[in-house]
Amino acid sequence: MKFKEEQLIEYFKTRGVFIFNIFLLICIIGLLPVDNFLFDIFSHFKFQYIIFGTILLLIFLYLSIKNKKYLIYCLILILLITINIIDVFQYIGKRDFSTITDIKIGLYNLYSSN
């Protein structure tokens, strides 16, 4: 049983740091105020970043029990999760739809053979 746990720890050490670097890059690209649609794609998945960052945080907390150098990764992940939570929660509960009186609907047929 001990052999499988050591294999799992080695797997998380090598691939976990690689995945962390990719996640860090994606989060930073999503925060950039660049007016480019390729970079703008990464700013739409804040809730998914929270979930994935929490999973990574749990993995690195487990690794930090064995080696304290993984606490730095944990602190960076907590910072990224907090930034994404702030971005997500600014859109929750701000609208009052009871004051809407009229709705306008537009319809466009873009099928050119019609």
Side-chain angles (χ1 to χ4, degrees):
M1 187 67 175
K2 195 70 163 169
F3 182 69
K4 290 193 177 214
E5 182 180 353
E6 289 176 5
Q7 282 181 331
L8 186 66
I9 289 172
E10 279 301 314
Y11 181 82
F12 285 142
K13 281 181 181 178
T14 56
R15 286 162 184 87
V17 173
F18 177 72
I19 292 170
F20 169 80
N21 289 328
I22 298 295
F23 178 71
L24 180 67
L25 180 69
I26 288 172
C27 283
I28 290 174
I29 288 173
L31 292 172
L32 292 176
V34 178
D35 196 22
N36 185 347
F37 75 96
L38 290 175
F39 291 144
D40 191 42
I41 291 172
F42 294 108
S43 67
H44 298 290
F45 302 104
K46 301 290 184 176
F47 185 72
Q48 288 83 359
Y49 295 158
I50 294 168
I51 294 170
F52 190 73
T54 305
I55 293 169
L56 272 177
L57 179 65
L58 293 174
I59 290 171
F60 281 115
L61 282 174
Y62 177 73
L63 289 176
S64 68
I65 294 171
K66 304 288 182 182
N67 192 348
K68 299 299 180 193
K69 76 175 186 176
Y70 292 104
L71 284 176
I72 305 246
Y73 295 109
C74 294
L75 293 175
I76 294 171
L77 283 169
I78 289 171
L79 178 69
L80 289 175
I81 291 169
T82 305
I83 290 170
N84 287 317
I85 284 175
I86 290 170
D87 285 344
V88 167
F89 280 117
Q90 72 181 354
Y91 296 109
I92 296 177
K94 296 255 179 163
R95 302 282 173 148
D96 183 21
F97 293 107
S98 63
T99 60
I100 297 176
T101 57
D102 51 336
I103 297 174
K104 296 180 182 180
I105 297 176
L107 176 66
Y108 296 97
N109 186 0
L110 297 178
Y111 192 53
S112 62
S113 67
N114 287 342

